């Protein structure tokens, strides 16, 4: 059966390459463009054009009020580099990244190691660790703000009950960064968890059997075999996590920045957003966008190298 | 047969955990501890869900601050849900999210499949340059584009419209990359046969290549849908009219302002989480595989 279906397909192609190859280039040449055109058009309008436009605006005083645009050279850029609030917000973004990346990587690995051994709980563990990841951010922050309520919230209730917060209530308006980090860990850990779990499942059992013969204990196997074999995954997880953390905006805006929980502190995208849409200064905000772009590009280039190395 | 084999090979993480063959299944202290820790952590991770669910079924009085923490509502009530449906905006946002995410998913699938097929199977002038420019887009963080993008969308008069919400989200260069790589791995024997029978490229794509691409199309579709449903920053900018807002924006901007009615708030949270939890339950296997694929490819 298999050979039957394969034979007619293979035979004619082997006999007929000359006519197909000769006719193909001319006829195909424009056809291919039609396949690619729809996506490329949308890409050009909503990605390439805004990128160029943003670069242009960063050298102008373009404003949301719609007054005529004039070229102001490097003024926006010079202002951005001397803008203390911009640096503060950049620092907040960096601080969030520094605080959130280690627990998200380490706990992701730890949970995956547990789940890999507790296989009978597999479905349940994947559900409870990964389900938060698919929840919209505003649902996440609604629930956590409710849990963080200083008096009567679940968080402080148990901190008090376990004697951890007897003298100090967790006030999320004050500890806003830590609160956002904890919420983010709960929300997004599942992604790293799944990356690690998948990598663990590709390690062949023979590797461990050899170590068993040598009489290695579990800890030795973890340090000597599992962790080194996960090196590449760890590199990927860290890079993806850095890129995600540097883009912090949604949960910070909802928990610490917007509405009732107004905090004077900003993260970078929030400052950019405020400059553009509250301050109406599109030109200045565009320069800030390019600064953010630059930082993320640095990390993304590392990611790109990691990915293309895997291709080989 | 060859096609079938490659299809399974191309799927990420097909490697199922090996049955613990030689190892005897003894209940050691270590194993018991592992199971206990895993179970405890999984429960801990569910606490926010359970607490939101519990609060949503309380009366506003029982749900208000200063009440003792009670996991089982002392008096079961659907008050929160009733108020939510009476106000009606939650339903509107849910409809908007469904419409926008569906447009984004369908368009992404159609446009990316066509383009990926073109890049994989056809030759045309400038192909390499166009592909390189599109791939470079993978590295552009969407957040860094929002300011000029808003300007573009507003000059197209698309602010506060479904198209303004949806179209910028269709630009997903990474999906082109994923699909092209998959198509590259599909053997061409069948296509050659189909073309010799006189089928054009569109027909070949539809009746030969796509039937072999089920899992990858499912993965791209599910991830696009979830990503679009959960997108926050762009809809926050482009939907100012509450009647056009998506669910995450409506909940974050409008419902967040209702403040102290926690039963109602948590009812909104539960209903806000529900659609995607259902999607996750239905497609757990594909989602888990899709995420795993990021690391294994």
């Amino acid at each position: 059966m298999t050979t039957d279906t394969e034979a007619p397909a293979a035979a004619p192609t082997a006999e007929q390459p000359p006519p197909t190859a000769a006719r193909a280039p001319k006829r195909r040449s424009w056809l291919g463009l039609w396949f690619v055109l729809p996506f490329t058009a949308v890409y050009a309008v909503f990605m390439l054009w805004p990128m160029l436009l943003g670069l242009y605006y960063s050298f102008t005083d373009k404003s949301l009020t719609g007054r005529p645009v004039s070229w102001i050279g490097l003024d926006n850029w010079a202002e951005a580099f001397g803008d203390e609030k911009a640096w503060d917000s950049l620092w907040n973004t960096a601080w969030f990244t520094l605080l959130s990346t280690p627990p998200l990587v380490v706990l992701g690995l730890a949970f995956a190691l547990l789940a890999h051994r507790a296989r009978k709980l597999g479905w349940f563990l994947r559900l409870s660790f990964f389900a938060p990841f698919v929840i919209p951010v505003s649902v996440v922050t609604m629930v956590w703000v409710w849990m963080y309520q200083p008096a009567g919230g679940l968080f402080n209730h148990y901190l008090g009950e376990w004697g951890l917060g007897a003298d100090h209530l967790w006030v999320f308006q004050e500890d806003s960064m830590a609160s956002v980090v904890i919420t983010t860990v709960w929300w997004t850990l599942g992604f790293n968890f799944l990356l690690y779990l998948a990598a663990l499942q590709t390690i062949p059992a023979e590797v461990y059997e050899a170590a068993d013969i040598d009489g290695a204990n579990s800890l030795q196997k973890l340090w000597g075999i599992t962790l080194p074999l996960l090196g590449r995954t760890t590199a990927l997880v860290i890079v993806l996590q850095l890129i995600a953390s540097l883009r912090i905006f949604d949960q910070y805006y909802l928990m610490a920045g917007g509405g009732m929980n107004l905090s004077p502190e900003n993260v970078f995208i929030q400052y950019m957003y405020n400059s553009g849409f509250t301050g109406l200064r599109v030109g200045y905000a565009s320069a800030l966008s390019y600064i953010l772009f630059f930082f993320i590009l640095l990390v993304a280039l590392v990611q790109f190298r990691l990915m293309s190395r895997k291709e080989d | 047969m060859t096609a079938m084999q490659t299809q399974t090979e191309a799927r990420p993480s097909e490697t199922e955990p090996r049955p613990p063959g030689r190892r005897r299944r003894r209940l050691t202290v270590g194993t018991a501890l592992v199971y206990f820790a895993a179970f405890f952590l999984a429960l801990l991770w569910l606490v926010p869900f359970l607490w939101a669910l519990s609060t949503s079924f309380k009366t506003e009085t029982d749900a208000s601050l200063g009440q003792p923490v009670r996991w089982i509502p002392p008096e079961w009530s659907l008050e929160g849900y009733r108020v939510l449906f009476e106000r009606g905006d939650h339903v509107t946002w849910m409809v908007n999210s469904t419409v926008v995410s569906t447009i984004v998913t369908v368009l992404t699938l159609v446009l990316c499949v066509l383009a990926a097929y073109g890049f994989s199977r056809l030759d045309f002038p400038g192909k390499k340059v166009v592909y390189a420019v599109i791939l470079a887009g993978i590295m552009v963080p969407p957040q860094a584009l929002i300011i000029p993008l808003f300007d573009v969308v507003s000059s197209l008069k698309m602010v506060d419209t479904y198209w303004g919400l949806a179209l910028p989200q269709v630009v997903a260069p990474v999906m082109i990359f994923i699909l092209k790589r998959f198509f590259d791995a599909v053997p061409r024997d069948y296509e050659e046969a189909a073309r010799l029978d006189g089928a054009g490229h569109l027909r070949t794509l539809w009746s030969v290549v796509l039937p072999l691409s089920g899992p990858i199309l499912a993965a791209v579709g599910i991830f696009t849908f979830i990503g679009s449903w959960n997108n926050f920053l762009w809809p926050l900018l482009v939907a100012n009219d509450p009647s056009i807002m998506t669910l995450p924006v409506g909940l974050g901007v409008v419902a967040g302002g209702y403040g102290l009615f926690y039963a109602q708030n948590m009812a909104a949270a539960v209903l806000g989480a529900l659609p995607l939890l259902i999607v996750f339950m239905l497609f757990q296997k594909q989602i888990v595989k899709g995420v795993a694929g990021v690391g294994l490819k």
Side-chain angles (χ1 to χ4, degrees):
Chain A
M1 191 59 205
T2 329
T3 28
D4 278 354
T5 41
E6 266 180 6
T13 18
E15 282 167 24
Q16 287 189 334
T20 336
R23 227 179 335 126
K26 269 183 200 160
R27 221 166 49 101
R28 281 176 186 172
S29 60
W30 296 110
L31 188 66
L33 210 57
W34 286 112
F35 275 79
V36 170
L37 195 65
F39 180 88
T40 311
V42 178
Y43 182 81
V45 175
F46 295 106
M47 187 122 181
L48 289 182
W49 178 238
M51 278 191 78
L52 295 174
L53 202 61
L55 190 62
Y56 164 67
Y57 283 158
S58 74
F59 297 105
T60 69
D61 64 351
K62 165 83 179 171
S63 151
L64 259 195
T65 56
R67 63 172 154 75
V69 178
S70 50
W71 185 268
I72 54 169
L74 287 171
D75 284 9
N76 285 327
W77 294 86
E79 186 185 339
F81 283 106
D83 184 347
E84 219 165 279
K85 279 187 182 164
W87 285 107
D88 282 349
S89 67
L90 191 60
W91 167 245
N92 275 328
T93 292
W95 184 227
F96 172 82
T97 306
L98 287 174
L99 285 177
S100 61
T101 303
L104 277 166
V105 175
V106 173
L107 289 179
L109 172 63
F111 282 28
L113 287 170
L114 277 178
H116 190 55
R117 286 200 56 188
R119 271 175 204 165
K120 281 179 196 154
L121 290 174
W123 184 84
F124 176 58
L125 296 180
R126 281 201 302 269
L127 174 76
S128 66
F129 293 151
F130 190 73
F133 190 78
V134 301
I135 303 294
V137 61
S138 16
V139 169
V140 171
T141 57
M142 278 170 100
V143 174
W144 278 86
V145 165
W146 162 224
M147 295 204 307
Y148 280 140
Q149 285 309 314
L154 198 66
F155 207 71
N156 276 317
H157 173 77
Y158 283 109
L159 284 185
E161 199 144 274
W162 297 332
L164 293 170
D167 49 345
H168 172 67
L169 278 178
W170 184 271
V171 184
F172 90 99
Q173 286 93 335
E174 288 168 20
D175 306 301
S176 55
M177 185 57 91
S179 304
V180 174
V181 169
I182 292 172
T183 303
T184 306
V185 169
W186 177 80
W187 182 33
T188 62
L189 184 86
F191 189 79
N192 296 348
F193 162 77
L194 282 187
L195 284 180
Y196 271 124
L197 191 61
L200 279 172
Q201 288 173 353
T202 61
I203 301 179
E206 289 84 21
V207 184
Y208 294 105
E209 279 160 18
D212 281 337
I213 294 168
D214 293 342
N217 64 32
S218 312
L219 207 61
Q220 283 168 330
K221 280 187 275 187
L222 178 66
W223 279 109
I225 301 172
T226 314
L227 292 184
L229 283 177
L230 289 177
R232 198 171 239 190
T233 307
T234 302
L236 183 80
V237 168
I238 290 176
V239 169
L240 289 179
Q241 188 56 57
L242 286 175
I243 293 177
S245 287
L246 284 172
R247 293 170 174 185
I248 169 77
F249 169 78
D250 301 358
Q251 63 271 45
Y252 195 89
Y253 173 82
L254 285 166
M255 290 178 73
M260 52 183 171
N261 314 309
L262 200 68
S263 145
E265 300 279 319
N266 281 324
V267 285
F268 193 75
I269 292 182
Q270 199 178 353
Y271 186 64
M272 190 179 94
Y273 171 93
N274 286 340
S275 310
F277 292 99
T278 316
L280 308 180
R281 300 183 59 202
V282 173
Y284 186 57
S286 296
L288 293 174
S289 307
Y290 265 83
I291 294 173
L292 172 75
F293 181 32
F294 174 75
F295 278 106
I296 293 183
L297 192 65
L298 280 183
V299 186
L301 282 174
V302 178
Q303 178 203 6
F304 209 67
R305 286 203 54 182
L306 280 174
M307 276 172 66
S308 46
R309 236 198 313 163
K310 272 185 187 176
E311 286 279 280
D312 299 338
Chain B
M1 193 57 212
T2 17
M4 289 298 287
Q5 270 167 3
T6 337
Q7 186 197 3
T8 29
E9 271 165 24
R11 276 194 211 166
S13 90
E14 195 68 336
T15 35
E16 284 297 312
R18 216 163 245 276
R22 209 168 303 161
R23 293 194 187 179
R24 271 161 292 148
R25 295 210 272 107
R26 297 170 289 158
L27 185 70
T28 62
V29 180
T31 316
L33 273 178
V34 164
Y35 270 89
F36 177 77
F39 191 73
F40 174 78
L41 284 171
L43 273 188
L44 187 71
W45 235 245
L46 289 178
V47 160
F49 285 122
L50 298 176
W51 185 236
L53 203 60
S54 156
T55 308
S56 76
F57 287 117
K58 288 177 181 169
T59 61
E60 285 299 349
T61 327
D62 287 330
S64 59
L65 288 173
Q67 294 297 314
V69 168
R70 270 181 291 204
W71 283 88
I72 307 291
E75 184 190 335
W76 290 80
S77 158
L78 288 173
E79 192 186 329
Y81 291 92
R82 190 180 53 79
V83 175
L84 203 68
F85 278 106
E86 267 173 17
R87 219 171 48 224
D89 46 7
H90 191 98
V91 180
T92 311
W93 300 329
M94 195 96 97
V95 171
N96 291 342
S97 275
T98 311
V99 171
V100 171
S101 303
T102 307
I103 296 178
V104 172
T105 308
V106 171
L107 275 182
T108 301
L109 278 173
V110 172
L111 297 189
C112 291
V113 161
L114 281 176
Y117 181 85
F119 285 124
S120 170
R121 289 294 194 270
L122 294 156
D123 259 322
F124 53 90
K127 171 173 151 176
K128 281 196 173 150
V129 180
V130 178
Y131 188 60
V133 169
I134 287 177
L135 272 202
I138 293 178
M139 289 187 291
V140 178
Q143 291 89 339
L145 275 184
I146 52 158
I147 306 275
L149 185 61
F150 183 81
D151 195 58
V152 170
V153 168
S154 74
S155 61
L156 292 171
K157 305 267 179 282
M158 284 187 186
V159 174
D160 278 331
T161 66
Y162 284 147
W163 290 110
L165 282 162
L167 280 178
Q169 300 188 58
V170 172
V171 180
V174 73
M175 297 305 182
I176 301 262
F177 176 71
I178 290 171
L179 286 169
K180 177 186 180 286
R181 201 170 43 175
F182 184 87
F183 290 162
D184 283 347
V186 173
R188 291 157 204 232
D189 307 7
Y190 288 156
E191 295 165 54
E192 301 284 343
R195 282 223 290 291
L196 286 173
D197 287 345
H201 274 286
L202 264 185
R203 170 133 208 107
T204 315
L205 170 62
W206 179 256
S207 54
V208 179
V209 179
L210 287 190
L212 294 172
S213 317
I216 195 88
L217 294 180
V220 168
I222 294 164
F223 277 91
T224 306
F225 190 88
I226 294 178
S228 165
W229 186 285
N230 286 343
N231 198 346
F232 181 74
L233 180 55
W234 178 247
L236 174 70
L237 286 181
V238 87
N240 302 311
D241 176 355
S243 70
I244 201 82
M245 283 178 178
T246 57
L247 191 68
V249 176
L251 286 182
V253 175
V254 181
Y258 294 128
L260 302 172
F261 300 104
Y262 287 108
Q264 186 187 323
N265 248 343
M266 289 305 108
V270 168
L271 289 183
L274 208 56
L276 281 195
L277 283 181
I278 292 172
V279 169
F280 177 57
M281 302 273 197
L282 288 178
F283 298 108
Q284 199 194 13
K285 218 172 182 181
Q286 285 91 334
I287 292 173
V288 168
K289 267 186 193 165
V291 175
V294 174
L296 294 180
K297 270 174 192 164

